[in-house]
Each structure stands twice: as C-alpha cells, then as structure tokens.
Amino acid sequence: MLLGKVFSKPEKGSIYWNLIIEEIYALGIGSLGITAIISLFMGAVITIQTAANIEGSWVPAYTVGYTTREAVIKEFSPTIIALILAGKVGSNIASKIGSMRVTEQIDALVIMGVNAPGYLIFPKIVAAVFINPFLVVISMFLGVGAGYLVSIYSGLLDPSEYIYGITYDFIPFSVTYALIKTVFFAFAITSIPAYHGYYTSGGALEVGKSSTEAVVYSSIVVLLINYILTQLLLI
Amino acid sequence: MIEIKNIEKSFGSNTVLKDISCVFEKGKTNLLIGASGSGKTTITKCIVGLHEVDKGAVLFSGENFSEMNQKQRKEIRKQIGFMFQGSALFDSMSVEENVKFPMVMFSKKTSKEMLDRVNYCLERVGMPNTNKLFPSELSGGMKKRVGIARAIAMNPKYLFCDEPNSGLDPQTSILIDDLINSITVEFDMTTIVVTHDMNSVLEIGDKVFFLYKGEKYWEGDRHDILKTENEELKNFIFASKFIQKLLNN
C-alpha cells in the first residue's frame, strides 16, 4: 500500500527531478568514500589469501587473479557493498524519515495535500537504483586493481600472472548478473528503511529502534535476494 | 465554515471522541479548550483527515469531507493552513523555503511572485529578513510565527492552530494570539485554535467549545465563559490560583 503511494503520479515532476538529483548526490556520491575504502581492502585481502593458499601447490599462479576477479565481480562488490550501504544509507533514511514523522513534518506534508510517501521515498529509491550500479562498477575496478597492486608490491605472485588471471575465461554476463543484483539490492536498502521510518511512532527512542530494525531487515532481505537471484541467474 | 456532526473516534478500546457536533464559523476564531487528553487535538486531526472518524461527518463549507476520495480531499487540503504544536517546520529547509514550500508544490507563481509572497507572510507575522535562517536557529516563538507564515502562504480558507501558545512566555503568547485573531479577520478565514490557555480564551475566543473526557460539555463565547454554571468548565477555568485571586479581588 505504501509502495502504491510512493509510485503514484508526482504533483510536480520538476520538484521530484531536483529531489532525485539531490538524493543521487547524498546516497551515491556520499557513499563513494566508504565504497572505495572497502573495495580496495577487500580486493587486496582476497588476493593475498588466495595467493597464500595456493603457494607451493600445483594450482597455477594465474588462479589468484581469476579468483579475485570472480569473487569481487560476482559476490563481494555487489553484495558486500549492498550490506555496507544497508547500514549507512538505510539508517540514514529510516532516521531521517522517522524524525520527520515524530516531529509532525510528515503530517504537515499530508495536510498541505502533498503525497508524502511519494515526495519522501520515491526520489530515494530512484536515486539508489540509478547510482548504486555505478558504485558497484567502481568497486569492481578498485577491488581487482587493489589485487594488482598487491601482486606488484607484496612479491606473492608475478603481476603478469595476475593480469592473465583476471582476463582468463572472462564471461561478461558476470557483470550483468552483478548489476541485476545491485538494482534489486538498491531497491531493498532504500524501500525497507523508508517503510520503517515512515511508520515510526513515538519519540527519539522509537526513531532509534526503527533505524536499527531497518538495517537488520534490509540486510536480511539483501542476503535473501542474493540467494534467490544467484539460483535463478547462475544455475 | 466547518461543521462536524456526531463524530466519534476510538483508538482500540479507548474512545477518544464521543458524539461531538460543532459549527466553526467563518471569520471567527473558534477555540477548542479542555484539559490534556480531552480530545482537542484528535478533533482537529479528524477534521483534516489525519485520522479517519469512526462515525459522523466533517463538512467543509457544506461538502462532506469524510465521503470524499483522495483527489477531492487533496483539493480541500490545499485550502487548509495548519500550525502544529511543535511548528513542524522542515529542518532541512530555510525559513524562506519552508514558507515557499506549498507554493512551489501547488501554485504556478513565478519565483519573484513566490518570494514577494514569502516576504509578505514573514512581515505579517513580524519576522522580516529571516529568510535565510534555519529552524534550528529560531526560538520557540519564532518557529510558531514561521509556522503561521507557512500556514497562510496559500491564502487558506481554513486555519488550524494546535496549542499555539504552548511553551511560550506570556508576552509572546499574546503576540501570537493577536496575530491569529487579526489574520482570521483580515483573510475572513475559519480558524480553529486548540488551546488550554485561559488568556487566549478571554482574549480571542469568538466561539469557545469545551471538551471534557472526549465529550463536548459546553459552548459559548468568551463573555459567557466566566458566568458558566457548568461544574467541569468552572474547575477548568479556575484551576489557576492566580485567576482565583484576581477574581476574588
């Protein structure tokens, strides 16, 4: 029912357009830093662990690059970044909308005749669905790139083997699969916290509770979607 | 004019409003008074549709709001100005953006026309040159005034003020009361003020409705109220020892 209101016809398209741009900046560009840091360390650690595990075995060295690429593109970038954003963006959305609810700002919107769910939630969902795939693509490059830096500076493997590994048997659908997941995750990590924030009642304590619940539920839903989509798209 | 006919409202097993009927006249300041928890705010929220009534009808200039669809309600709501107890200003917007907001959403005015209207409304509430301030930079009284400026920005036919004096010092309370009363007359609005402030009752109560435990116990004007024989109303009015002393002297 709330989603029906969220996606009903906007009062003024230009206002919503401006809000979407603002949200793209707040939710997307504002998350670039944390995405970059996590991706770099994630890629570096996967590379080191894989290299350490296969050291001295019959497994070819390029497997390190191959494993890093597959892990980063198919799983770590879309899913881990979604889980991190569920915490960062999700708590932000739930607490912001929840605070507006308990301070009667949402009632003020309703009385003015504004479609409050549409005005508050629609731009966030659209912005996240649009910008998160870009964040994930950046994360993929940074993760795989961090592995390359490890191969250069750690001495664990030959950088040329790493490059060969990341290009070996590359299936472009892996990226498509990751981006499809990202769109679903983006929808979940904005709509679930928005729902919790919108139906907050009480005061500051309840806003905190809504925020926590929003992060927990959206994280669980991300994991669930991940399982379902993996089953549907890769098997 | 706003009329409510036999409205009832319950939250679970708790009946908050019991068969209440009132006529709120145009061009007058109509006061809903009563102790905390008597149902004053719930009535206003039922009138504007934030709560659905369980029984009865709410009529805006004769049109039954309770039976309207969302689109029709939206049109009525554009004619409503509402000042909340906590002001409900949008934190992320400046004073100017707050007052301009309903116009941005629903009017076809140019930016210049909107700015002129914002400046007029802010001047009217005694807050000129505060356009760039944010709600966090305003005092309680200033927030209430900006709340009123936002409420009148669209030239509403109906104005609701929920506890406009709560948390304010006596002087600012008088200023807010005078402001509400004067804009009611100036714009010929139907104004409903929820209050438990006796100064407001005696100063601006063109029509006063007293609620007690979810029922309407009395109605009249500010001149009648001190002569009432209604026990519950007398207890409410003379609860303050200060007023008792004044009347005894």
Side-chain angles (χ1 to χ4, degrees), chain A:
Chain A
M1 205 169 142
L2 182 69
L3 276 180
K5 287 180 183 171
V6 169
F7 290 103
S8 62
K9 194 177 169 230
E11 287 89 2
K12 237 181 186 178
S14 59
I15 308 271
Y16 279 63
W17 176 249
N18 290 339
L19 288 171
I20 289 169
I21 301 294
E22 278 175 29
E23 294 294 349
I24 284 174
Y25 185 82
L27 303 181
I29 313 299
S31 303
L32 204 53
I34 185 87
T35 302
I37 292 168
I38 290 165
S39 306
L40 285 169
F41 282 98
M42 202 165 62
V45 171
I46 294 169
T47 305
I48 293 169
Q49 282 190 351
T50 313
N53 277 307
I54 66 165
E55 199 174 18
S57 72
W58 54 268
V59 180
Y62 70 80
T63 309
V64 177
Y66 175 81
T67 309
T68 304
R69 184 199 74 206
E70 289 294 293
V72 166
I73 290 179
K74 282 185 178 164
E75 207 52 52
F76 280 84
S77 280
T79 311
I80 301 293
I81 295 301
L83 288 171
I84 298 296
L85 293 183
K88 182 185 178 288
V89 172
S91 63
N92 175 292
I93 290 173
S95 57
K96 197 171 174 182
I97 296 178
S99 299
M100 288 187 75
R101 167 62 75 194
V102 300
T103 55
E104 296 182 310
Q105 292 176 50
I106 292 180
D107 288 346
L109 285 171
V110 173
I111 290 172
M112 282 176 202
V114 176
N115 169 21
Y119 180 81
L120 295 172
I121 303 171
F122 178 76
K124 294 183 197 308
I125 293 178
V126 173
V129 166
F130 172 76
I131 198 71
N132 283 19
F134 289 97
L135 285 177
V136 167
V137 169
I138 291 169
S139 166
M140 289 172 183
F141 276 106
L142 291 173
V144 174
Y148 180 63
L149 292 176
V150 167
S151 71
I152 294 172
Y153 295 109
S154 71
L156 283 169
L157 77 157
D158 185 349
S160 61
E161 291 281 356
Y162 183 83
I163 293 292
Y164 178 72
I166 60 171
T167 54
Y168 177 76
D169 196 23
F170 176 67
I171 302 164
F173 181 72
S174 302
V175 177
T176 310
Y177 157 76
L179 295 181
I180 291 171
K181 286 205 298 187
T182 301
V183 167
F184 280 88
F185 294 161
F187 183 81
I189 64 176
T190 45
S191 59
I192 293 169
Y195 173 86
H196 282 274
Y198 196 82
Y199 289 110
T200 301
S201 61
L205 187 66
E206 284 74 15
V207 172
K209 275 185 190 168
S210 292
S211 186
T212 308
E213 281 175 10
V215 174
V216 171
Y217 285 116
S218 45
S219 300
I220 292 169
V221 170
V222 163
L223 296 173
L224 208 62
I225 291 173
N226 190 30
Y227 175 80
I228 294 167
L229 288 180
T230 304
Q231 181 95 30
L232 288 175
L233 298 172
L234 290 188
I235 309 270

Side-chain angles (χ1 to χ4, degrees), chain B residues 124-137:
Chain B
R124 190 67 193 77
V125 299
M127 295 275 292
N129 308 318
T130 53
N131 300 42
K132 300 299 169 203
L133 295 178
F134 277 82
S136 58
E137 299 171 281

Side-chain angles (χ1 to χ4, degrees), chain A residues 12 15 105 111-113 119, chain B residues 74 77 91 101 104 106-107:
Chain A
K12 237 181 186 178
I15 308 271
Q105 292 176 50
I111 290 172
M112 282 176 202
Y119 180 81
Chain B
K74 221 172 189 176
R77 281 177 173 150
D91 298 324
F101 183 80
V104 171
F106 298 114
S107 81

Side-chain angles (χ1 to χ4, degrees), chain B residues 31-70:
Chain B
L31 266 57
L32 281 169
I33 63 167
S36 299
S38 57
K40 307 184 295 290
T41 299
T42 306
I43 283 192
T44 56
K45 290 193 172 177
C46 284
I47 294 173
V48 297
L50 284 177
H51 296 323
E52 292 299 327
V53 292
D54 298 333
K55 276 185 189 168
V58 176
L59 291 95
F60 282 84
S61 304
E63 291 180 75
N64 193 340
F65 186 75
S66 317
E67 289 176 355
M68 289 179 186
N69 60 31
Q70 285 303 321

